[in-house]
Amino acid sequence: MENMAQTAALGAGYVAQTENKPVAVGYIGGVKDLEIFSLPRVNDELITEITVENRILNVSVISGRVWHNDDLLARCEMKLFTKNE
């Protein structure tokens, strides 16, 4: 779950930097339908996929998936809040 949140934060930070805007602080506001199918082993390479489903003001709803090779390890939906400076 944290991997998906950090990946979403990385994407938001990258967009802010490319637009010469300050990077906002974000918080996980809610998690829905979390499913963990398997845990990775030490040194496994993970692929994390984030899709922004909806964005209104300072709230984003994302869906996330974590993969190792062709195996889906986890998925969920999250509400992420950003703090306006």
Side-chain angles (χ1 to χ4, degrees):
M1 184 172 67
E2 182 65 20
N3 178 279
M4 291 180 261
Q6 291 293 335
T7 301
L10 176 66
Y14 176 79
V15 169
Q17 288 288 332
T18 60
E19 295 175 353
N20 292 320
K21 295 180 180 176
V23 177
V25 174
Y27 304 94
I28 298 172
V31 178
K32 180 180 173 185
D33 298 329
L34 173 64
E35 294 181 281
I36 299 173
F37 304 107
S38 181
L39 297 175
R41 295 182 191 169
V42 173
N43 295 322
D44 277 354
E45 182 176 318
L46 303 179
I47 304 296
T48 305
E49 172 186 297
I50 299 298
T51 303
V52 178
E53 302 293 344
N54 203 345
R55 183 175 290 140
I56 300 172
L57 300 174
N58 65 331
V59 179
S60 297
V61 177
I62 64 143
S63 61
R65 297 176 189 269
V66 179
W67 302 85
H68 171 63
N69 295 328
D70 293 329
D71 297 324
L72 179 61
L73 302 181
R75 66 181 173 201
C76 76
E77 180 179 287
M78 287 186 190
K79 284 185 186 176
L80 303 174
F81 294 86
T82 53
K83 181 179 176 184
N84 294 332
E85 297 296 324

